């Protein structure tokens, strides 16, 4: 059952927050970015991630926690940049635990297996929290005068730290680090690309909580803006594949968590929540920006004039096309 404290208004009523002038906000972001990037380079010199990713990650997190508090926008920069090392450490710990789980097959090892599964859950929630904040940072930087420079630096950190920490070749010419970094980029940017398409369809969106992402398989919420609470909403899981397909209502055992949680939210909030499975093209696809995940107009037009739009409008029971 979803957390009853997560009211519908938490997602559909807007997040609110203190408003500050755009010029002041832009200046704050630029200052924070320059300070964060300089400190990361110092940590790389002091503790190269190629030598000890655990110690490197610990220093990054310690520095993040000691960094002067900033605005919400500044905090997104701090959390996203300083969290790269910790994400790699989580990947390694997850893989190790998954191997231990496979080996814990005897009845007497049930308690150990249960504890390992709990730890996997904690890791997944922490990973989802970092990735959601990275997605928020990317959306926040849209229109910022240094936006592309900051995103370029962020993905360069993701790529370089992964390559340093995971240099082993895993089939072909790519290293494990390169493959993990590419997968991570797709995982963060796929919901962002979807948000841009929904915007063009005049639909509202919201990122999920980390718990919803990790345990309920919800990557994104979408709904049509109405007076008060919307009557219908979409709980969406987004996956990247090589060939995009039209969105479909979730079904089958592989999507059971998404289906079950959507039903729970329908009961809790008194609205219809549809579980939707979206398969989005990777950011290497022509038409999707590899830094921001933003699709170009041609890509958007193809989506809103084809099966993608039809499926979403059907799920939300939008009869007349309003875009």
């Amino acid at each position: 059952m979803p957390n009853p404290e997560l009211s519908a208004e938490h997602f559909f009523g807007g997040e609110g927050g203190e408003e500050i002038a755009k010029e002041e906000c832009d200046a704050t972001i630029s200052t924070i970015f320059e300070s964060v990037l300089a400190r990361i380079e110092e940590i790389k010199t002091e503790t190269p991630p190629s030598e000890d990713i655990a110690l490197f990650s610990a220093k990054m997190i310690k520095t993040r926690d000691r960094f002067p508090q900033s605005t919400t926008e500044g905090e997104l920069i701090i959390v996203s940049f300083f969290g790269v090392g910790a994400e790699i450490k989580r990947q390694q710990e997850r893989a190790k635990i998954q191997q231990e789980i496979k080996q814990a097959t005897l009845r007497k090892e049930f308690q150990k297996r249960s504890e390992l599964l709990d730890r996997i859950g904690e890791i997944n929630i922490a990973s989802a929290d970092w990735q959601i904040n990275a997605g928020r940072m990317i959306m926040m930087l849209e229109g910022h005068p240094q936006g592309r420079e900051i995103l370029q630096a962020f993905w360069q950190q993701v790529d370089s730290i992964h390559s340093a920490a995971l240099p082993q070749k895993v089939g072909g010419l790519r290293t494990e680090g390169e493959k993990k970094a590419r997968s991570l980029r797709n995982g963060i940017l796929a919901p962002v690309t979807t948000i841009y398409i929904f915007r063009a369809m005049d639909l509202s969106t919201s990122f999920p909580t980390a718990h919803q992402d990790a345990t309920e398989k919800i990557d994104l919420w979408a709904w049509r803006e109405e007076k008060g609470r919307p009557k219908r909403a979409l709980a969406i899981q987004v996956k990247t594949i090589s060939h995009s397909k039209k969105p479909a209502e979730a079904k089958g055992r592989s999507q059971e968590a998404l289906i079950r949680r959507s039903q729970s939210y329908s009961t809790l909030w008194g609205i219809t929540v549809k579980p939707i499975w979206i398969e989005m093209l990777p950011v290497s696809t022509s038409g999707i920006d590899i830094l921001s995940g933003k699709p170009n107009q041609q890509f958007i037009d193809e989506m809103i004039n084809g099966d993608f739009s039809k499926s979403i409008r059907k799920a939300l029971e939008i009869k007349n096309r309003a875009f």
Side-chain angles (χ1 to χ4, degrees):
M1 184 69 182
N3 185 345
E5 294 181 359
L6 296 179
S7 66
E9 285 70 27
H10 176 86
F11 296 99
F12 311 131
E15 296 184 356
E18 183 181 356
E19 293 185 2
I20 59 176
K22 183 180 185 304
E23 293 79 8
E24 180 183 346
C25 179
D26 287 347
T28 299
I29 290 170
S30 296
T31 302
I32 290 292
F33 162 63
E34 290 164 5
S35 298
V36 166
L37 197 59
R39 185 64 187 111
I40 289 176
E41 293 305 320
E42 290 174 0
I43 296 173
K44 279 183 172 180
T45 301
E46 296 165 359
T47 311
S50 58
E51 296 180 6
D52 191 336
I53 186 60
L55 183 57
F56 172 80
S57 169
K59 282 195 172 184
M60 291 272 276
I61 295 303
K62 187 175 182 180
T63 304
R64 178 202 69 187
D65 293 343
R66 290 182 172 181
F67 221 77
Q69 288 190 339
S70 180
T71 60
T72 300
E73 293 80 4
E75 287 296 326
L76 287 175
I77 299 285
I78 294 167
V79 169
S80 299
F81 274 79
F82 282 121
V84 176
E87 178 60 18
I88 298 174
K89 190 70 177 64
R90 284 191 290 267
Q91 293 170 11
Q92 293 178 325
E93 185 180 358
R94 185 189 294 114
K96 181 181 178 182
I97 292 175
Q98 286 170 339
Q99 285 300 316
E100 291 183 48
I101 290 173
K102 288 180 180 179
Q103 297 168 5
T105 56
L106 300 177
R107 183 180 295 273
K108 64 182 180 181
E109 294 177 309
F110 175 82
Q111 180 62 35
K112 177 183 178 182
R113 182 182 174 86
S114 177
E115 291 172 358
L116 291 173
L117 287 171
D118 286 344
R119 179 56 188 151
I120 286 281
E122 293 170 359
I123 292 170
N124 289 343
I125 290 174
S127 182
D129 185 59
W130 178 74
Q131 292 189 42
I132 289 168
N133 280 321
R136 287 194 173 112
M137 176 192 71
I138 291 163
M139 294 299 302
M140 177 264 295
L141 288 170
E142 182 184 16
H144 187 279
Q146 272 188 285
R148 292 195 66 78
E149 179 186 348
I150 296 172
L151 290 179
Q152 181 75 55
F154 174 70
W155 292 120
Q156 193 276 330
Q157 293 299 331
V158 170
D159 292 342
S160 65
I161 295 172
H162 271 82
S163 294
L166 305 168
Q168 308 86 351
K169 291 285 179 66
V170 283
L173 300 176
R174 288 197 182 94
T175 65
E176 182 182 358
E178 288 171 330
K179 291 187 73 173
K180 294 283 188 184
R182 173 174 288 195
S183 175
L184 188 60
R185 187 187 294 237
N186 281 325
I188 292 172
L189 291 182
V192 172
T193 301
T194 308
I195 288 173
Y196 279 112
I197 297 169
F198 282 159
R199 274 188 183 179
M201 295 172 62
D202 289 331
L203 299 179
S204 298
T205 58
S206 175
F207 284 102
T209 65
H211 185 273
Q212 288 172 338
D213 186 320
T215 67
E216 300 174 5
K217 308 306 179 185
I218 300 171
D219 294 318
L220 197 64
W221 290 97
W223 66 97
R224 188 182 189 184
E225 203 67 52
E226 302 175 34
K227 287 185 178 180
R229 184 182 301 186
K231 297 180 178 65
R232 301 177 73 84
L234 306 181
I236 301 166
Q237 186 170 18
V238 185
K239 293 296 180 184
T240 53
I241 61 168
S242 57
H243 301 287
S244 183
K245 299 178 182 178
K246 67 179 182 180
E249 186 168 346
K251 58 184 177 181
R253 291 189 63 184
S254 63
Q255 300 168 29
E256 184 178 346
L258 180 63
I259 296 168
R260 188 171 62 252
R261 295 308 186 189
S262 296
Q263 293 169 344
S264 297
Y265 283 114
S266 292
T267 302
L268 179 67
W269 293 339
I271 66 174
T272 300
V273 176
K274 283 277 189 181
I276 297 294
W277 177 274
I278 291 178
E279 295 177 328
M280 184 58 63
L281 292 169
V283 292
S284 57
T285 302
S286 175
I288 301 178
D289 187 86
I290 63 171
L291 298 181
S292 67
K294 185 175 182 177
N296 63 24
Q297 194 57 51
Q298 180 181 345
F299 189 99
I300 290 175
D301 289 343
E302 290 174 358
M303 288 294 185
I304 67 175
N305 291 317
D307 290 337
F308 184 97
S309 172
K310 290 177 183 177
S311 298
I312 295 299
R313 293 204 317 271
K314 181 179 179 181
L316 287 172
E317 295 188 350
I318 300 173
K319 296 180 181 179
N320 297 322
R321 188 171 147 177
F323 47 87

